[in-house]
């Protein structure tokens, strides 16, 4: 369905087409009663008579209504008019994260700030038992003031929330790539978790995997698993490791470790709670993570310095003791030479000169001239 500017959907006047969501086209529209712009997500007319699709569309509205969070786009209501079914959503100005990354990687500080807001939003959904299942840069917007909004819960799955919210869309998680003329995958496939790609049961760890993909992408400017074909992309997701060398050299070790935990193919080894990612990113933002590394390095350096100083004292003491023993064994006695008082170190005949402690600290060496 293609709604032209000026089309009325109830009290909403369509202004322009702005995108495509997991369950329909999205338009900018004007609320003629409240005098504000909104986003209308319209279910294609051909599918509006499909009971299953209509039920899923309704359940998306219910999922969004259960979420009230500053980093998740809000739902204002559901509108039906002349056979058109639409969700009335918060209009979020600004580019998608996919648009931002298309121009290159984000600076480290900005990437961390964006990732932190995404993680906070997903944590809020998970706490309500809702799994997004389609987290990707195209479903994330960054407002001009830097505030991040997670969009499109059209493929979301709710658990432990009653039958009316269960399994908002199961078949939707199957391959839905958007392919350019060159055949480069831009859609969902590159962000699927291995279990999702295999068609297995998913839980909130599939969002954690997708979050790791997004974090890698904002830091490197490229998708971690996208390849030229769907088959190659799925193969990379299931069997290939990320190219960690693509990360900027300045990426903190803790951030690298976080991505590695998020992108573990083995579910048992993957990060279990996105809240842990929130805490880690907060430490990186505040510098606490870096301070901990520097503190450890400083402590290690100090420890080495103390060990070196102690070793020097011990070696010096041992060398001096050896020197004294050598003098005693040689029967050395102080003798007067002019105004100076010197001690003979050995009972060898001749003149002893150039005395010094050997490098091993265990001997005293000198030159004997006869």
């Amino acid at each position: 369905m293609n709604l032209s500017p000026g089309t009325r959907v109830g009290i909403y006047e369509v202004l322009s087409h702005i995108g495509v969501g997991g369950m329909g086209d999205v338009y900018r529209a004007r609320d003629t009663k409240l005098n504000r712009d909104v986003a209308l997500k319209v279910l294609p007319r051909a599918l509006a008579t499909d009971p299953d699709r209509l039920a899923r569309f309704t359940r998306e509205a219910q999922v969004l209504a259960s979420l009230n969070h500053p980093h998740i786009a809000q739902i204002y209501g559901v509108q039906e008019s002349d056979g058109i079914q639409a969700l009335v959503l918060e209009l979020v100005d600004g580019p998608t994260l996919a648009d931002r990354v298309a121009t290159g990687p984000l600076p480290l500080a900005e990437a961390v700030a964006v990732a932190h807001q995404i993680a906070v939003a997903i944590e809020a959904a998970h706490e309500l038992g809702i799994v997004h299942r389609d987290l990707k840069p195209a479903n994330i917007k960054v407002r001009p003031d830097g505030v991040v909004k997670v969009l499109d819960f059209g493929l979301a799955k709710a658990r432990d929330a009653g039958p009316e919210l269960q399994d908002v869309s199961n078949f939707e998680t199957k391959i839905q790539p958007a392919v350019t003329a060159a055949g480069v995958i831009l859609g969902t496939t590159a962000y699927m978790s291995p279990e999702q790609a295999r068609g297995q049961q998913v839980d909130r760890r599939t969002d954690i995997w997708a979050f790791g993909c997004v974090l890698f992408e904002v830091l490197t400017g490229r998708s971690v698993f996208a390849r030229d074909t769907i088959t190659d992309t799925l193969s990379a997701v299931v069997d290939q490791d990320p190219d960690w060398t693509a990360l900027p050299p300045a990426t903190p070790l803790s951030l690298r470790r976080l991505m590695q935990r998020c992108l573990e193919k083995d579910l048992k080894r993957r990060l279990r709670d996105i809240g842990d990612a929130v805490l880690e990113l907060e430490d990186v933002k505040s510098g606490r993570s870096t301070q901990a590394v520097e503190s450890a390095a400083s402590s290690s350096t100090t420890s080495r310095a103390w060990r070196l100083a102690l070793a020097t004292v011990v070696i010096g003491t041992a060398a001096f003791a050896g020197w004294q023993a050598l003098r005693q064994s040689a029967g050395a006695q102080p003798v007067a030479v002019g105004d100076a008082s010197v001690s003979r170190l050995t009972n060898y005949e001749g003149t002893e000169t150039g005395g010094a402690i050997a490098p091993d600290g265990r001997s005293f060496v000198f030159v004997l001239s006869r």
Side-chain angles (χ1 to χ4, degrees):
M1 182 186 305
N2 187 11
L3 301 182
S4 58
T7 301
R8 292 292 291 262
V9 181
I11 64 171
Y12 304 98
E13 180 181 350
V14 173
L15 301 177
S16 62
H17 181 268
I18 58 176
V20 179
M23 294 286 284
D25 289 297
V26 183
Y27 298 87
R28 187 185 193 104
R30 185 70 175 174
D31 183 335
T32 57
K33 282 193 173 180
L34 297 180
N35 292 323
R36 65 177 178 181
D37 286 355
V38 299
L40 280 186
K41 188 172 184 179
V42 178
L43 183 66
R45 194 183 296 270
L47 300 175
T49 56
D50 182 335
D52 183 64
R53 287 297 293 263
L54 188 58
R56 294 173 190 277
F57 198 65
T58 302
R59 285 197 294 268
E60 179 185 355
Q62 294 172 340
V63 167
L64 285 172
S66 70
L67 295 169
N68 183 16
H69 193 273
H71 295 304
I72 297 175
Q74 292 182 302
I75 183 170
Y76 298 144
V78 178
Q79 180 69 50
E80 181 178 0
S81 176
D82 296 327
I84 297 176
Q85 300 282 346
L87 301 183
V88 185
L89 306 168
E90 175 186 1
L91 179 68
V92 183
D93 287 319
T96 67
L97 194 54
D99 296 331
R100 291 288 307 278
V101 174
T103 64
L106 275 59
L108 179 60
E110 184 180 0
V112 171
V114 167
H116 177 259
Q117 294 179 70
I118 297 169
V120 168
I122 297 302
E123 181 184 31
H126 286 183
E127 286 178 349
L128 293 176
I130 297 170
V131 181
H132 190 288
R133 294 203 300 182
D134 196 25
L135 185 67
K136 57 187 176 182
N139 284 342
I140 299 164
K141 277 207 166 190
V142 184
R143 293 191 331 202
D145 61 0
V147 173
V148 170
K149 294 278 188 175
V150 176
L151 315 174
D152 206 343
F153 279 76
L155 306 186
K157 179 178 181 180
R159 58 179 176 79
D160 303 328
E164 70 281 0
L165 288 182
Q166 287 293 325
D167 199 10
V168 175
S169 176
N170 187 38
F171 69 87
E172 299 287 353
T173 62
K174 296 178 182 177
I175 300 169
Q176 301 181 35
V179 184
T180 67
V184 179
I185 295 173
L186 301 177
T188 302
T189 315
Y191 305 92
M192 284 184 176
S193 62
E195 60 274 16
Q196 208 173 4
R198 292 188 178 104
Q200 298 171 340
Q201 193 72 20
V202 302
D203 58 24
R204 62 187 183 182
R205 286 171 292 181
T206 204
D207 282 349
I208 292 174
W209 170 278
F211 172 76
C213 292
V214 172
L215 181 52
F216 183 97
E217 193 162 336
V218 297
L219 287 169
T220 64
R222 74 187 204 195
S223 172
V224 59
F225 292 114
R227 303 294 187 267
D228 290 339
T229 69
I230 293 173
T231 302
D232 290 341
T233 298
L234 292 178
S235 176
V237 167
V238 174
D239 296 321
Q240 297 178 24
D241 292 328
D243 178 11
W244 300 115
T245 63
L247 291 171
T251 306
L253 291 177
S254 58
L255 204 55
R256 292 173 183 265
R257 179 58 180 161
L258 174 60
M259 278 181 282
Q260 290 169 350
R261 292 289 310 281
C262 290
L263 294 176
E264 276 283 358
K265 297 184 191 297
D266 184 349
L267 268 175
K268 294 180 180 179
R269 295 182 55 81
R270 193 178 306 162
L271 191 72
R272 293 180 177 275
D273 195 320
I274 194 68
D276 292 335
V278 171
L279 296 177
E280 191 64 62
L281 288 164
E282 286 175 354
D283 283 348
V284 174
K285 281 178 61 180
S286 66
R288 286 194 295 269
S289 180
T290 303
Q291 290 169 4
V293 172
E294 291 176 347
S295 176
S298 175
S299 175
S300 177
T301 300
T302 302
S303 178
R304 285 197 299 271
W306 273 106
R307 289 198 299 269
L308 180 60
L310 181 60
T312 301
V313 171
V314 170
I315 290 172
T317 302
F320 183 76
W323 186 8
Q324 289 287 72
L326 183 62
R327 290 182 58 196
Q328 293 172 5
S329 66
Q333 297 293 330
V335 296
V337 180
D339 294 332
S341 177
V342 299
S343 295
R344 183 177 180 84
L345 298 180
T346 73
N347 56 3
Y348 297 123
E349 294 182 359
T351 303
E352 301 158 348
T353 59
I357 298 174
D360 63 6
R362 302 176 61 185
S363 307
F364 186 83
V365 296
F366 58 91
V367 177
L368 178 66
S369 302
R370 293 182 178 178

